[in-house]
Amino acid sequence: MPSPAPAPLLLTLAGHDPTGGAGLTTDLAAWQAMGCRGASVCTALTVQNAQGVQQVVPTGVPVLRAALAALTAEGQPVAVKVGMLGEADVAAEVAAFCAAFTDGPVVWDPVLAASAGGVPLLQAGAGALAAMARAATVITPNRVEAAQLLGLPAWSDGGAMPPGWLAAIRAQWLGQGRTQAVVLKGGHAQGPHSVDWLLTRDGAQAFAVPRLARGAHGTGCLYAAVLAAMLAQGWSVADAVVEAQWRTHAGIAQAWRAAPEARPLVNPAAVLDSGSFPRHPAPGGLPQTDAPAFAPLAAPPGFYPILPGADWALRVLDWGARTLQLRIKDLQGAALRADIARVAEAARQAGAQLFVNDHWREALDAGAYGVHLGQEDLLLADLAALRAAGMRLGVSTHTPGEMARAHALGPSYIALGPVYPTTLKVMPYRPLGLQRLADWVARCRPRYPTVAIGGISLERAPGVMAAGADGYAVVSAVTQAADPQAAVRRGLAIAQQAQDCRAAAG
């Protein structure tokens, strides 16, 4: 039997930290945790610990060049992450290599100094740094590094970006070479939340996580390594930023410490949950970190049929479904309002959780239990009015960025998908599969119940529930079934069995 093909290769060009808390050691550990394959070329050896950096010995350029040649002779990486460079000659050599690399993204984390102080980690002139910036597709400085490199005034608060910053970054970085994005990390700023800014030629987006009481060594390395891996896998820069922020926050919260007097080392393999959930608002401003959450569900969603009309919904209610979605596409005006009101009243009488898809005004008027909105509909709905009325909110998500946008609203549940390919609607997203579904479900806990969506049949439902979802949505499994009532009974039994198993497991 032939051996499976190896995973695509990622390359880190970074320094070596003897404590294992930063540099290429952290990069490789992060990629291993993400299921990626990593290679490394060392740009400098350092002597450092909790007392700071005592010595930096850059790699000789001939050795660096030979190492890169040896690596690329075996196969080309699909992404490059650049960290500590040490000196001008090394920076120039790395910049030349990255400029010639066209097989994937180049992420540059411009490491200038260690947080513990000591000898600078980079001593290079403006020419070498400018060449490195032009060769990078994404640059990930913290605010201190950006201010030093670009000659900008200090910016340490958690508020809006100071005047001049965006213009300077566009002129000096985004307007040069092939740089497509700059991510300004907010870990060195102040305030209750750490706010990262994604800057492109088209605008600025903010991402926020609660600031932790302590820091950890190696966070910048972890952040940039995760970003590079996500870009190599085809995710957008916004999705990559969310993933990097999520893993870095969790890595700080679960940091390692070898001894009481040692500095905390970021944990690249930290478990992700809702405590590290980033917030990413719709374009236009800072995340509302103090917005109240929507009301919680009264019961786990379990079996969650999506029905195309009132008659279907009423039948399924009679057959025992207690969480359902009404998705009406072919009515408007008075007929639409009448059907939503009719189903909402029946659901109230049955004690059921009825979610109305898209038509939030009509759902609000009818006093429905909740609404379910897609990402585009979030921009149009009066969320404050829905929240004030005590209605529940479900949000569809398909990427890390969309999950972070949902979290910014504090919904009642988050829908994750598509789990499998679906023929019911055109989906520009890759199917999650059960492994990624289980990962994303775990990230939503303990704060959010989850509903799995997309391509789920009753045959696939047990596996979906075993992956940890709190509910699963079906469409054709009911509406196209030879015996819809029997299908509903089976769907309810699958959900109940999964819930019983979880209760028994504690």
Side-chain angles (χ1 to χ4, degrees):
M1 186 174 183
S3 300
L9 183 67
L10 309 178
L11 169 62
T12 172
L13 290 155
H16 179 263
D17 177 354
T19 69
L24 55 86
T25 305
T26 293
D27 298 341
L28 295 174
W31 291 340
Q32 184 178 30
M34 297 175 71
C36 300
R37 186 166 63 104
S40 62
V41 172
C42 184
T43 57
L45 297 175
T46 70
V47 178
Q48 61 175 298
N49 55 20
Q51 282 67 55
V53 180
Q54 291 92 52
Q55 191 175 359
V56 175
V57 181
T59 302
V61 169
V63 174
L64 180 67
R65 189 178 298 149
L68 288 169
L71 168 70
T72 54
E74 297 283 320
Q76 283 291 330
V78 298
V80 176
K81 182 262 179 177
V82 178
M84 174 192 166
L85 295 172
E87 66 172 12
D89 289 347
V90 172
E93 186 69 23
V94 171
F97 173 82
C98 291
F101 176 77
T102 57
D103 292 341
V106 175
V107 177
W108 177 35
D109 179 26
V111 182
L112 302 183
S115 57
V119 176
L121 294 175
L122 179 59
Q123 298 187 35
L129 296 178
M132 188 63 244
R134 289 193 299 270
T137 51
V138 181
I139 307 173
T140 64
N142 60 45
R143 296 183 188 184
V144 175
E145 292 163 343
Q148 293 179 13
L149 291 169
L150 300 176
L152 294 167
W155 172 27
S156 61
D157 64 57
M161 190 176 302
W165 270 69
L166 181 56
I169 289 170
R170 281 177 171 168
Q172 297 186 53
W173 280 343
L174 293 173
Q176 306 293 324
R178 59 176 180 174
T179 304
Q180 301 170 6
V182 173
V183 182
L184 289 177
K185 297 172 295 188
H188 287 68
Q190 300 172 359
H193 287 80
S194 176
V195 181
D196 299 342
W197 286 87
L198 169 59
L199 310 177
T200 65
R201 294 182 179 92
D202 298 326
Q205 302 178 61
F207 305 77
V209 289
R211 189 177 301 281
L212 296 167
R214 69 173 184 179
H217 181 54
T219 55
C221 303
L222 173 59
Y223 194 108
V226 173
L227 197 78
M230 290 290 285
L231 294 176
Q233 294 170 13
W235 295 98
S236 71
V237 182
D239 288 321
V241 168
V242 168
E243 185 78 8
Q245 195 176 53
W246 212 328
R247 289 184 179 271
T248 302
H249 188 274
I252 298 171
Q254 300 169 46
W256 297 318
R257 194 191 294 269
E261 67 278 5
R263 59 185 169 179
L265 306 181
V266 71
N267 181 356
V271 176
L272 307 186
D273 60 22
S274 62
S276 297
F277 216 137
R279 297 176 187 264
H280 175 33
L286 287 163
Q288 280 188 274
T289 53
D290 58 349
F294 278 81
L297 300 181
F303 176 62
Y304 188 122
I306 299 175
L307 292 317
D311 291 341
W312 267 111
L314 294 173
R315 284 199 296 270
V316 169
L317 280 170
D318 285 342
W319 296 336
R322 288 300 175 260
T323 302
L324 67 160
Q325 184 183 134
L326 182 61
R327 182 190 288 172
I328 299 177
K329 299 294 184 182
D330 57 354
L331 293 178
Q332 55 184 329
L336 173 66
R337 292 191 294 273
D339 274 12
I340 290 176
R342 187 157 56 108
V343 179
E345 177 59 28
R348 278 193 296 273
Q349 294 295 326
Q353 302 178 135
L354 169 69
F355 289 88
V356 177
N357 181 267
D358 290 351
H359 301 295
W360 62 270
R361 292 183 184 86
E362 292 80 3
L364 183 61
D365 291 342
Y369 185 81
V371 295
H372 182 93
L373 300 176
Q375 292 287 315
E376 301 82 4
D377 303 305
L378 293 173
L379 301 175
L380 305 175
D382 188 342
L383 298 174
L386 296 172
R387 188 184 287 112
M391 295 183 67
R392 278 70 172 176
L393 173 67
V395 179
S396 294
T397 67
H398 313 85
T399 71
E402 291 185 355
M403 292 168 69
R405 185 168 292 125
H407 177 54
L409 305 174
S412 307
Y413 72 84
I414 292 178
L416 304 171
V419 180
Y420 298 102
T422 176
T423 59
L424 294 178
K425 59 190 297 189
V426 177
M427 299 289 284
Y429 309 100
R430 69 187 79 180
L432 298 181
L434 293 180
Q435 183 174 353
R436 179 167 282 141
L437 173 64
D439 175 25
W440 286 10
V441 165
R443 296 182 187 210
C444 292
R445 287 181 174 160
R447 178 158 182 171
Y448 296 113
T450 54
V451 174
I453 58 175
I456 301 172
S457 63
L458 294 181
E459 290 69 29
R460 289 169 167 168
V464 169
M465 293 298 288
D470 297 291
Y472 66 96
V474 297
V475 182
S476 57
V478 171
T479 60
Q480 296 180 21
D483 186 343
Q485 185 174 4
V488 169
R489 287 199 300 267
R490 183 182 174 196
L492 290 167
I494 291 170
Q496 187 61 54
Q497 182 178 16
Q499 291 167 4
D500 291 345
C501 289
R502 290 176 195 176

